[in-house]
Amino acid sequence: MDTLVKIAGLLGFIISVATFVLTRIERKKRIEIEIFDEIGGAFPNLDGWPKEVGSENLMKVRFTNLGSQTVIIKPKTLKIECKEKAYFLVNDDYIGMDDFDEVLTPMSSRTIGVFQSEILNELDISSPKKYDEESFNKLYPLKISVKDHRGKTYTNKRYSYHEAVCEYVT
């Protein structure tokens, strides 16, 4: 009987520790960063932008809060890296910041558009003069990051840019 009580106590302790760990993991802040191509005209609210913007390619960046806590994200800390080069969102080369709400409640998302030509220039990605097998299949690995109001960095390294077809692939 005494052994049975000790086993039950140990089992209760293990269950309580496991519950504690699982609730901490569940409450973790988690921001998913997605990128995809878009034509500027498809982006809402282009008032005040030149008409050429409507036909220019944009990289749409979507921030989604997959965690269970509200996160205050700072979209102007967006950083896109490729090898040793980096693009920082510091200029006025983005669309959608006027109506961007920095407060991301759980399971909500916000989107901005960044001019693809600016990103490619900063990352030194350009088309070769002539495509061969190697240059056609070349992928540029991208690392996209953004910070919240406390300075915590959220990163996504799953994307690559396929220059020959001008697409972001995972």
Side-chain angles (χ1 to χ4, degrees):
M1 182 73 171
D2 190 39
T3 308
L4 194 59
V5 170
K6 288 181 182 180
I7 292 174
L10 182 61
L11 188 59
F13 175 74
I14 291 172
I15 289 173
S16 66
V17 169
T19 302
F20 175 78
V21 169
L22 288 175
T23 56
R24 292 298 172 243
I25 291 172
E26 184 181 286
R27 292 178 48 86
K28 185 176 175 184
K29 294 180 182 179
R30 188 165 158 233
I31 300 293
E32 176 74 22
I33 305 170
E34 300 171 282
I35 59 173
F36 47 96
D37 289 327
E38 188 72 59
I39 301 297
F43 206 92
N45 196 3
L46 288 177
D47 299 336
W49 288 89
K51 290 189 183 217
E52 303 85 51
V53 170
S55 62
E56 188 166 343
N57 283 345
L58 295 174
M59 171 198 276
K60 263 189 159 178
V61 183
R62 182 184 309 150
F63 309 101
T64 305
N65 183 359
L66 298 177
S68 62
Q69 294 183 19
T70 300
V71 178
I72 302 173
I73 196 154
K74 297 296 181 186
K76 290 189 178 181
T77 62
L78 177 70
K79 180 178 169 184
I80 302 169
E81 298 175 80
C82 179
K83 300 180 182 174
E84 288 92 38
K85 304 280 184 174
Y87 168 82
F88 297 94
L89 189 69
V90 293
N91 303 327
D92 289 336
D93 50 1
Y94 48 82
I95 295 176
M97 202 67 79
D98 297 336
D99 53 353
F100 190 95
D101 185 10
E102 294 181 346
V103 178
L104 282 174
T105 57
M107 302 312 292
S108 66
S109 64
R110 305 287 185 273
T111 304
I112 61 171
V114 184
F115 295 106
Q116 189 165 317
S117 58
E118 295 287 328
I119 296 169
L120 298 179
N121 286 339
E122 288 292 321
L123 298 180
D124 200 23
I125 297 175
S126 60
S127 301
K129 292 185 179 19
K130 184 177 177 184
Y131 283 102
D132 58 9
E133 185 71 28
E134 181 182 334
S135 62
F136 185 78
N137 293 320
K138 186 170 185 177
L139 295 175
Y140 295 89
L142 300 175
K143 177 182 173 187
I144 304 120
S145 61
V146 69
K147 294 183 180 183
D148 67 6
H149 72 292
R150 291 189 173 159
K152 181 178 179 184
T153 304
Y154 302 92
T155 305
N156 186 337
K157 297 179 185 178
R158 293 183 298 146
Y159 288 95
S160 294
Y161 183 70
H162 190 193
E163 189 278 324
V165 294
C166 300
E167 287 184 351
Y168 300 99
V169 294
T170 54

